[in-house]
Amino acid sequence: MSCFSLLCGRKGSSLSAQPTEADIDLSSFKNINLYTYKELQIATERFSPANKIGEGGFGSVYKGKLRNGTMAAIKVLSAESKQGVKEFLTEIEVISSIEHENLVKLYGCCVERNQRILVYGYLENNSLAQTLVGGGRSSLHFSWHTRRSICIGVAWGLAFLHHEIEPHIIHRDIKASNILLDKDLKPKISDFGLARLIPSNITHISTLVAGTAGYLAPEYAIRSQVTRKSDVYSFGVLLLEIVSGRCNTNRRLPAEERYLHTRAWDLYEKGELESLVDSSLGGDFDVEEAIRFCKIGLICIQDSLQLRPSMSTVHDMLIGERDVNEKMMSKPGLLFDFTEPKDQGKQKGKVEEVEVEKTSLLAMTGSEKKHDLESSSLSASTGSYATMTFTSICDRSN
Ligand SMILES: Nc1ncnc2c1ncn2[C@@H]1O[C@H](COP(=O)(O)OP(=O)(O)OP(=O)(O)O)[C@@H](O)[C@H]1O
């Protein structure tokens, strides 16, 4: 048994008289709830497939009942996400100290047996991807009032990460599958801070994640330029998805409706934004408010990150405490309207993978000059732009 497992096994007990290096590491993390592997094994019935509730880019997620009776979502991080225990725990200490009603609570972790396992509060109603925008397999009904509350809640949670935490946290992966819903359909943002747990040479977001491409701000996807404004872009896409009840990309639709970003902009220019609102609401919504939400979405997804508002401004606009300034509204920056599946004949229901060559990436932006992009992408430190694999999960069912 390793030092880690010994230590994890005696949570709360005093350390041995002659601490090893590993002892010292762990003893300095007093504020972290450390779970033993055995405890999590019992909670998940030996990580039984029956308790597996999801699989993401970071690893598998299991539902489990902790010793104190609390339900938890137990995320077993995959091999790529392994890093030194000290670095890992440093991040965990920060993340688990963050509390907000619109953020999923990290209870603690397990670092035993070379495992990295995160233990989160369990959310009863799955993610927005599984219920509202991912293909309608859910029986849940999302009224306009509920959608409005979800948009405002997510904006508030994100504004908290951006403006209330010091140093601020950029989520980097805001999307429908990272918005979980509790029993009352209150939204909670998951996976915040996780990007920092992944070694920098592993580009989880840009290369490994399924279904993310439509949420990526162009400057982030092309130049790895990560700012709070790239989260604002992703939030704008999500906002349009919640209002319209559809995924941001659906290649089964006619060309002019395929991408939510351009669809919303076209309708805005024609003064017909109302028709973007989900038809399943049967017209039962506040028209003025829904149009305002669509405009806020469009303001967030502008190509120029300087023109995108901060998340606290977005929140204030959503609740009507701040006017939506249409003067600062310009065409959306769109990452991938040029992409087409390599194999159009893939089976329905299968994930489509689209390889995007660098030249295509360079061709896709609206306002930026081609040669500027080329030089910046070539000088990017990871040099990982030669090919990117985008997977469009929404195309399966919408
Ligand atoms: N705290 C939680 N409560 C309930 N279910 C959860 C929780 N966390 C994750 N899940 C479930 O597990 C699934 C996978 O989650 P995970 O965050 O690992 O991946 P993802 O967000 O779907 O994809 P990616 O890792 O690419 O962002 C989620 O879609 C959700 O159904």
Side-chain angles (χ1 to χ4, degrees), residues 56-155:
F58 293 105
S60 303
V61 185
Y62 297 83
K63 182 179 178 176
K65 194 175 197 173
L66 300 175
R67 249 197 323 237
N68 63 7
T70 309
M71 293 308 295
I74 295 166
K75 188 174 283 193
V76 183
L77 299 185
S78 56
E80 292 97 357
S81 44
K82 302 283 161 63
Q83 60 177 176
V85 173
K86 195 171 177 189
E87 295 79 7
F88 183 80
L89 292 177
T90 303
E91 298 296 348
I92 294 299
E93 193 162 45
V94 174
I95 301 168
S96 60
S97 70
I98 296 173
E99 303 232 12
H100 187 277
E101 62 180 280
N102 296 114
L103 300 175
V104 177
K105 179 69 189 154
L106 178 64
Y107 291 155
C109 68
C110 170
V111 290
E112 204 177 311
R113 299 186 193 183
N114 198 31
Q115 294 281 358
R116 302 285 183 272
I117 304 177
L118 303 176
V119 181
Y120 287 100
Y122 179 75
L123 278 295
E124 294 83 353
N125 270 316
N126 267 317
S127 72
L128 277 181
Q130 288 153 309
T131 51
L132 177 62
V133 303
R137 273 167 291 158
S138 160
S139 56
L140 292 172
H141 173 67
F142 291 86
S143 65
W144 173 251
H145 179 75
T146 302
R147 290 173 204 236
R148 176 187 187 280
S149 306
I150 291 173
C151 296
I152 292 170
V154 176

Side-chain angles (χ1 to χ4, degrees), residues 175-186:
K175 58 179 177 178
S177 68
N178 277 335
I179 308 301
L180 302 177
L181 303 166
D182 75 3
K183 58 181 182 349
D184 304 315
L185 299 186
K186 186 174 183 166

Side-chain angles (χ1 to χ4, degrees), residues 174-388:
I174 288 292
K175 58 179 177 178
S177 68
N178 277 335
I179 308 301
L180 302 177
L181 303 166
D182 75 3
K183 58 181 182 349
D184 304 315
L185 299 186
K186 186 174 183 166
K188 292 184 191 262
I189 301 171
S190 77
D191 283 0
F192 61 92
L194 274 201
R196 302 201 305 202
L197 293 176
I198 305 298
S200 56
N201 59 334
I202 295 171
T203 50
H204 170 83
I205 307 293
S206 60
T207 58
L208 303 179
V209 181
T212 303
Y215 296 98
L216 287 183
E219 76 282 355
Y220 180 20
I222 299 166
R223 296 192 299 266
S224 297
Q225 188 184 353
V226 182
T227 67
R228 283 175 279 194
K229 295 297 180 76
S230 36
D231 276 354
V232 172
Y233 182 98
S234 308
F235 175 80
V237 177
L238 180 71
L239 180 55
L240 293 172
E241 288 185 326
I242 294 170
V243 174
S244 64
R246 60 160 279 193
C247 179
N248 65 69
T249 306
N250 185 346
R251 291 194 182 85
R252 295 206 170 83
L253 290 173
E256 68 277 12
E257 294 179 32
R258 208 164 282 174
Y259 301 105
L260 191 51
H261 321 57
T262 44
R263 175 77 179 144
W265 180 254
D266 291 346
L267 291 173
Y268 168 71
E269 288 200 307
K270 288 188 212 154
E272 294 173 8
L273 268 181
E274 186 182 338
S275 57
L276 193 70
V277 181
D278 194 345
S279 58
S280 78
L281 287 170
D284 188 11
F285 61 94
D286 179 333
V287 176
E288 202 180 305
E289 189 170 56
I291 290 176
R292 185 157 55 82
F293 275 37
C294 291
K295 287 178 183 170
I296 297 167
L298 283 167
I299 285 175
C300 292
I301 64 172
Q302 293 175 99
D303 203 21
S304 159
L305 61 160
Q306 285 79 18
L307 290 178
R308 295 175 210 150
S310 69
M311 273 319 299
S312 53
T313 300
V314 170
H315 174 263
D316 291 351
M317 288 193 290
L318 288 170
I319 62 171
E321 276 193 3
R322 205 184 258 258
D323 290 337
V324 176
N325 183 1
E326 287 182 57
K327 280 193 203 122
M328 58 181 259
M329 206 138 114
S330 61
K331 205 173 172 184
L334 180 58
L335 175 63
F336 67 135
D337 58 343
F338 60 92
T339 63
E340 286 302 332
K342 260 175 40 173
D343 178 2
Q344 297 277 6
K346 277 191 178 167
Q347 274 182 338
K348 189 178 178 182
K350 269 199 161 182
V351 174
E352 289 175 337
E353 289 199 343
V354 183
E355 282 204 346
V356 182
E357 297 298 327
K358 189 178 84 179
T359 47
S360 307
L361 276 167
L362 297 177
M364 69 196 168
T365 59
S367 65
E368 299 196 65
K369 286 188 191 123
K370 222 172 165 180
H371 67 268
D372 287 342
L373 284 171
E374 186 149 30
S375 56
S376 54
S377 66
L378 287 172
S379 65
S381 57
T382 62
S384 63
Y385 300 117
T387 55
M388 292 172 78

